[in-house]
Amino acid sequence: SQEKAALIIQYNKEVNDILKRLPNHFPEALKALMKWKDLKNEELAEKCLLSSKTIQRMRNEEGYEPKLRTVIALCVGMQLPPILSRKLIEISGYAIRFAVEEHAMFEAIITGYYKASIHECNELLESAGFKILTSDE
């Protein structure tokens, strides 16, 4: 049990360090998180059901503005802890609004489903009557 506690403390410290150092600019923040998770464009694209070209554009094009559902898909693909997902969402210029049912589902995904696959998250959204995360970016 002490070993588990030590692992949790270490992980929390690592996440907190990432949070403190995360650039407040979407392309740079995405690059930093991908580096932390040791993911290449193609790998992340596969985990998010996006094209690697879309990932490349988000990383490199200055004015590129991804949709909120795409940012959520990135969070799921990287399996980000909720605090880092919220930060990436904020950096991308969005806020999750609980009054919006779909946003409440997004919150459930980033807090309770972030270890699930994009397929499981899309299934959850579809069964609740919402669009999947990775349609039409």
Side-chain angles (χ1 to χ4, degrees):
S1 183
Q2 235 179 353
E3 282 177 34
K4 275 186 187 173
L7 285 172
I8 290 169
I9 289 167
Q10 177 59 39
Y11 181 73
N12 288 344
K13 184 184 177 326
E14 186 180 343
V15 168
N16 201 29
D17 287 348
I18 298 283
L19 190 61
K20 279 191 246 171
R21 289 181 292 141
L22 203 61
N24 212 8
H25 180 246
F26 186 79
E28 298 307 314
L30 179 57
K31 287 177 196 171
L33 290 168
M34 286 175 67
K35 184 177 179 180
W36 178 56
K37 286 294 190 167
D38 194 27
L39 288 167
K40 307 273 178 269
N41 285 8
E42 298 75 25
E43 295 168 309
L44 182 57
E46 202 174 295
K47 290 176 183 285
C48 298
L49 298 179
L50 292 166
S51 72
S52 51
K53 185 178 171 136
T54 298
I55 303 288
Q56 193 174 340
R57 285 185 11 224
M58 284 189 275
R59 287 175 50 120
N60 299 320
E61 277 183 33
E62 200 49 51
Y64 192 85
E65 293 180 12
K67 295 179 172 135
L68 174 58
R69 61 184 357 91
T70 302
V71 178
I72 302 290
L74 290 170
C75 295
V76 169
M78 291 187 279
Q79 295 189 326
L80 295 179
I83 194 164
L84 291 178
S85 290
R86 285 197 191 94
K87 187 64 178 173
L88 187 62
I89 291 163
E90 176 191 311
I91 290 169
S92 72
Y94 293 103
I96 291 191
R97 307 199 189 293
F98 287 99
V100 179
E101 277 186 52
E102 185 180 45
H103 285 213
M105 286 298 283
F106 291 161
E107 178 68 16
I109 286 170
I110 67 167
T111 57
Y113 256 70
Y114 70 96
K115 292 280 190 184
S117 73
I118 193 76
H119 300 287
E120 292 168 300
C121 293
N122 281 340
E123 222 171 82
L124 180 71
L125 286 166
E126 269 188 320
S127 63
F130 298 110
K131 280 173 53 178
I132 61 173
L133 291 173
T134 46
S135 59
D136 74 16
E137 171 63 37

